[in-house]
Amino acid sequence: MDRSQQLKAITKRIQSLPTLPQVVNKLTTMVESPEVTAKDVGKLIGSDQVLGAKVLRLVNSPFYGFPGRISSISHAIILLGFNVIKGVVLSASVFDLMEKSMIGLWEHSLGCAVVSGRICRVLNLSDPEEISTAALLHDIGKVLIRVSLQDDYEKIRGLVENRNYSFREAELEILGLDHAQIGSWLAQEWKLPERLTIPITFHHEPHKAPKIRERVSIVHVADSIVRAFGVGSGGDPWVSRISPSAWETLGLSRFDLKEMASQILDDLAEADARLGAPED
Ligand SMILES: [Fe+2]
Ligand SMILES: [Fe+2]
């Protein structure tokens, strides 16, 4: 079986996608309409109070650059745009399902968003908010494996724990494909824009990205950095090697990496203070 046949076989076994709040489904259709306003979308998200609160908390985190200053969801939409808000709502709801059993992955994803935002600002690239959102969602395929392919998930965990596999190697062995491909399929099902789907799809193979390689490379590098700093868990204890092509694409050698690392540590500490507090 080639990879696309394997993906088809696996997605057939995925009986249902993680159950998302109704609001999220409505939102997906709503943002496609050209007439929709920030107020309409704000109202919809606000109608689910828990989700609304979580979205506000995320958009006020340091990786969006307006820490503590966004007071309403419609304000967030005006500042960040529909795509970012859609990504934030999706990640808030998907990880909500998993908060207890996958807290490590949630922290890994938040950390990756923080680091991506910082790299983007240091490199002076546009749209740090969108790149952070792609980073927030980059490992979404792992959530789907955990929720919808539980037997395989257990086998994968077994290989990681007993045979020193990385999570991705174990996925390739058990499923014949990895969470990036599964995440890519999910992102398409959810009709996410290419600027989010491509980084999800290629974050482990940035050299294969057909476009926006800079964005993909940022998520790739951030993924290794959060692992190196020991923030959360990507499912295994390893720090993945940074691909030389990502390093080159971003021209990282031109920058003062020590300075960048200390900024990243500050950002991570601030994010932890803002997002790590228990929900009330
Ligand atoms: Fe990954
Ligand atoms: Fe990751």
Side-chain angles (χ1 to χ4, degrees):
M1 264 204 283
D2 69 15
R3 284 187 161 200
S4 73
Q5 284 172 315
Q6 245 147 353
L7 184 60
K8 248 192 206 145
I10 285 176
T11 51
K12 251 198 199 147
R13 283 173 46 214
I14 298 174
Q15 300 294 330
S16 56
L17 295 177
T19 342
L20 298 174
Q22 262 206 337
V23 169
V24 180
N25 296 326
K26 278 195 201 149
L27 181 72
T28 305
T29 27
M30 197 180 213
V31 294
E32 268 161 41
S33 149
E35 283 120 58
V36 74
T37 64
K39 213 172 159 195
D40 299 332
V41 176
K43 232 178 170 178
L44 174 70
I45 299 172
S47 69
D48 181 330
Q49 283 188 3
V50 177
L51 184 63
K54 197 149 195 180
V55 168
L56 272 181
R57 205 157 149 190
L58 277 174
V59 296
N60 277 304
S61 63
F63 51 85
Y64 289 120
F66 315 99
R69 286 192 284 140
I70 302 180
S71 56
S72 73
I73 293 172
S74 33
H75 186 198
I77 296 163
I78 294 163
L79 290 172
L80 300 168
F82 284 138
N83 281 340
V84 168
I85 291 302
K86 191 171 156 186
V88 169
V89 169
L90 276 171
S91 46
S93 5
V94 170
F95 281 100
D96 219 25
L97 303 167
M98 295 279 89
E99 192 129 42
K100 288 196 182 70
S101 55
M102 293 192 102
I103 185 85
L105 187 62
W106 175 231
E107 287 168 358
H108 168 78
S109 307
L110 284 174
C112 199
V114 170
V115 177
S116 295
R118 172 56 66 187
I119 298 177
C120 195
R121 288 187 178 89
V122 171
L123 268 55
N124 219 354
L125 298 176
S126 57
D127 295 326
E129 297 83 11
E130 212 170 39
I131 296 180
S132 285
T133 307
L136 200 56
L137 289 164
H138 79 285
D139 274 341
I140 205 79
K142 288 182 184 169
V143 179
L144 194 63
I145 296 174
R146 171 78 171 76
V147 180
S148 304
L149 299 167
Q150 283 176 12
D151 292 349
D152 294 312
Y153 177 80
E154 292 308 328
K155 286 184 204 154
I156 292 167
R157 296 258 357 122
L159 287 182
V160 171
E161 272 159 31
N162 308 320
R163 309 249 315 260
N164 286 344
Y165 276 58
S166 73
F167 199 85
R168 181 163 177 255
E169 283 165 350
E171 291 170 331
L172 290 168
E173 174 132 339
I174 301 291
L175 300 170
L177 36 81
D178 68 0
H179 63 275
Q181 286 161 292
I182 294 179
S184 172
W185 171 80
L186 189 56
Q188 283 162 34
E189 287 286 303
W190 283 339
K191 301 193 175 66
L192 291 180
E194 263 191 341
R195 289 151 73 88
L196 299 178
T197 308
I198 293 179
I200 294 172
T201 311
F202 296 100
H203 71 273
H204 287 291
E205 299 172 308
H207 60 285
K208 291 193 181 162
K211 42 184 151 170
I212 56 165
R213 201 166 286 174
E214 244 172 10
R215 290 162 171 266
V216 179
S217 300
I218 288 182
V219 177
H220 171 83
V221 170
D223 191 17
S224 292
I225 293 178
V226 277
R227 282 167 173 267
F229 284 162
V231 175
S233 162
D236 62 52
W238 312 111
V239 177
S240 37
R241 210 168 69 93
I242 291 180
S243 125
S245 108
W247 191 267
E248 250 166 61
T249 302
L250 300 176
L252 283 175
S253 314
R254 290 180 288 132
F255 296 91
D256 182 345
L257 297 178
K258 240 184 164 173
E259 161 90 22
M260 200 194 294
S262 91
Q263 286 170 334
I264 286 173
L265 279 175
D266 289 348
D267 292 346
L268 286 171
E270 197 185 338
D272 193 40
R274 278 180 192 280
L275 294 164
E279 304 267 334
D280 34 56

